């Protein structure tokens, strides 16, 4: 314990604005591919402080707010565990990918019953981004520049639910002037299927306060969660003036099969060698082909799955497909304890009419 004395001059210094930036730090003894980032570490410290329950869960909203306040500009993955001593649990370190450059940050605190609560965050190092202010003045633009990405795509989600894609070139500053509504904007830079950067900008609003992490998730029911996600999509669409989507029961079996396949291998993706994807299965059994706008997500509950989709402007833009007329959602549980729910959402447009099942031998 220490006491610190100071002399007050009578002038209150202006608060230093938070910047979104990467702050790598060296730490002796760390593996060559791991780099401590002070912003990511600050986010982990906030999450471990909010973990006031023995059964606390790292929910998407809490992680997003912690990263936003810390000014860390990537979509980090956070892991939570209990440890018997002051050493990072091996289970957390083993969960971090090896062989690729990774930012990491961790924090711990002693628990009342002995031992420690740990939170470790990590994110792949993909490209670099110039620092920018986290807090933005209404109607004022800012430059955004990324380096090290071959073909970057820029998505921005605004507080009113809308999303848009803007052009972006590697190594060239893009002036972004879309901040005309107060609130939280989500900015996402994607290369191929990889999310390089995902962060929040706060336009004329304070950063929301942290809240204690919730406890164990309620039991999941895949059919009910699929219906909840479809309802969220239509609420988003009607809120921005688009027509709601009609359910397409013909493809329910296909989306459920794809969700079950992905859940069985624990992968979030559109297609793989084991899970061919809804378009491939539909092409085999139905005619004509539809045009698909697909999102895939995994989370503990339907509400958290929706948070993940909404927080990603690229996924949100899919959900706002203006030409789409139908939706089908399939969900399945991962065969683990606790089990996550995997959901496949397909929004479809049928330029040649609604598909009908093929009668084999009569094509």
């Amino acid at each position: 314990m220490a006491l610190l004395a100071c002399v007050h001059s009578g002038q209150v210094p202006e608060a230093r604005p938070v910047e979104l930036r990467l702050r790598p730090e060296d730490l002796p003894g760390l593996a060559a591919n791991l780099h401590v980032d002070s912003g990511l570490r600050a986010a982990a410290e906030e999450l471990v402080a909010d973990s006031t329950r023995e059964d606390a869960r790292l929910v998407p909203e809490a992680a997003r707010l912690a990263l936003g306040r810390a000014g860390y500009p990537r979509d980090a993955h956070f892991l939570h565990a209990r440890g018997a001593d002051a050493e990072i649990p091996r289970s957390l370190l083993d969960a971090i990918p090896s062989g690729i450059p990774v930012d990491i940050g961790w924090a711990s605190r002693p628990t009342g019953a002995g031992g420690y609560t740990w939170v470790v965050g990590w994110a792949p190092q993909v490209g670099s981004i110039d620092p920018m202010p986290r807090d933005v003045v209404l109607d004022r633009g800012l430059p955004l520049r990324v380096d090290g990405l071959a073909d970057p795509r820029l998505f921005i989600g605004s507080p009113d639910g809308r999303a848009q894609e803007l052009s972006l070139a590697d190594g060239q500053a893009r002036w972004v002037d879309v901040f005309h509504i107060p609130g939280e904007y989500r900015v996402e830079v994607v290369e191929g299927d990889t999310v390089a950067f995902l962060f929040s900008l706060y336009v004329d609003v304070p950063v929301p306060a942290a809240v204690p992490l919730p406890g164990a998730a309620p039991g999941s029911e895949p059919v009910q969660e699929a219906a909840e996600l479809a309802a969220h999509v239509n609420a988003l669409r009607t809120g921005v003036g688009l027509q709601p989507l009609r359910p397409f029961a013909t493809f329910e079996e296909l989306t459920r099969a794809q969700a079950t396949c992905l859940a069985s291998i624990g992968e979030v993706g559109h297609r793989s060698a084991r899970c061919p994807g809804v378009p491939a299965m539909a092409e085999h059994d139905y005619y004509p082909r539809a045009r698909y706008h697909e999102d895939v997500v995994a989370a503990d509950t339907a509400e958290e799955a929706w948070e993940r989709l909404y927080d990603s402007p690229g996924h949100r833009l899919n959900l706002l497909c203006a030409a789409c007329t139908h939706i089908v959602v399939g969900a399945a549980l991962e065969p683990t304890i606790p089990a996550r729910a995997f959901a496949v959402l397909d929004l479809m447009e049928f330029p040649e009419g609604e598909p009908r099942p093929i009668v084999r031998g009569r094509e």
Side-chain angles (χ1 to χ4, degrees):
M1 182 70 69
L3 295 176
L4 183 65
C6 67
V7 178
H8 198 286
S9 66
Q11 296 180 347
V12 179
E14 184 176 335
R16 184 171 180 269
V18 175
E19 280 188 331
L20 293 161
R21 61 183 301 181
L22 299 169
R23 307 178 183 87
E25 298 180 359
D26 294 326
L27 189 66
L30 205 60
N33 65 307
L34 300 181
H35 305 274
V36 178
D37 183 276
S38 59
L40 185 52
R41 185 173 58 189
E45 289 171 350
E46 178 173 311
L47 289 171
V48 82
D50 295 338
S51 179
T52 58
R53 303 172 50 130
E54 288 294 320
D55 59 349
R57 290 187 301 119
L58 297 174
V59 293
E61 180 184 13
R64 172 176 56 81
L65 291 176
L67 291 168
R69 268 187 291 270
Y72 183 76
R74 299 194 197 274
D75 183 23
H77 307 263
F78 287 99
L79 307 170
H80 185 215
R82 307 290 179 186
D85 51 37
E87 295 293 326
I88 300 179
R90 173 53 57 180
S91 60
L92 297 184
L93 294 177
D94 290 344
I96 299 174
S98 59
I100 61 172
V102 172
D103 285 339
I104 65 169
W106 64 82
S108 68
R109 66 176 180 84
T111 63
Y116 289 80
T117 294
W118 286 90
V119 170
V120 173
W122 63 271
Q125 294 180 357
V126 182
S128 61
I129 188 169
D130 283 358
M132 66 185 65
R134 182 199 64 183
D135 303 283
V136 181
V137 176
L138 188 68
D139 294 327
R140 183 173 297 178
L142 52 81
L144 188 152
R145 169 178 163 155
V146 298
D147 292 282
L149 304 179
D151 185 24
R153 302 174 66 194
L154 171 63
F155 300 93
I156 297 183
S158 59
D160 63 356
R162 301 177 189 275
Q164 59 183 311
E165 181 177 359
L166 303 178
S167 62
L168 187 66
D170 181 61
Q172 298 181 19
R174 161 72 198 245
W175 186 255
V176 181
D177 185 16
V178 299
F179 309 115
H180 307 305
I181 303 173
E184 179 185 2
Y185 288 73
R186 292 289 280 173
V187 181
E188 185 173 37
V189 179
V190 177
E191 182 178 42
D193 293 331
T194 301
V195 177
F197 303 99
L198 178 63
F199 54 88
S200 293
L201 297 176
Y202 298 93
V203 178
D204 269 12
V205 293
V207 180
V211 295
L213 296 175
S220 294
E221 206 293 304
V223 174
Q224 179 181 347
E225 296 197 347
E228 290 180 19
L229 287 171
H232 278 304
V233 173
N234 277 336
L236 171 64
R237 291 175 62 87
T238 56
V240 300
L242 293 175
Q243 290 294 321
L245 301 169
R246 300 191 297 274
F248 194 65
T250 307
F251 281 6
E252 282 184 5
E253 183 179 344
L254 302 183
T255 53
R256 193 176 300 120
Q258 178 71 359
T260 301
C261 186
L262 294 173
S264 70
I265 58 178
E267 292 183 3
V268 178
H270 296 283
R271 65 188 66 86
S272 68
R274 290 182 56 183
C275 308
V278 173
M281 292 187 288
E283 184 178 6
H284 181 267
D285 290 322
Y286 297 88
Y287 180 88
R289 294 176 62 184
R291 293 177 182 168
Y292 299 87
H293 303 259
E294 183 177 86
D295 285 341
V296 180
V297 65
D300 291 336
T301 67
E303 287 299 320
E304 291 174 18
W306 176 248
E307 286 178 23
R308 293 186 186 279
L309 294 173
Y310 188 85
D311 281 345
S312 164
H315 286 86
R316 198 191 308 179
L317 196 59
N318 261 352
L319 304 178
L320 296 175
C321 161
C324 292
T325 56
H326 292 74
I327 185 173
V328 60
V329 183
L333 295 182
E334 189 178 26
T336 59
I337 300 176
R340 293 179 298 171
F342 279 65
V344 176
L345 299 84
D346 276 289
L347 282 69
M348 294 166 288
E349 45 180 313
F350 299 128
E352 301 175 49
E354 294 184 17
R356 297 182 179 180
I358 293 174
V359 179
R360 295 295 172 189
R362 299 182 185 178
E363 296 95 328

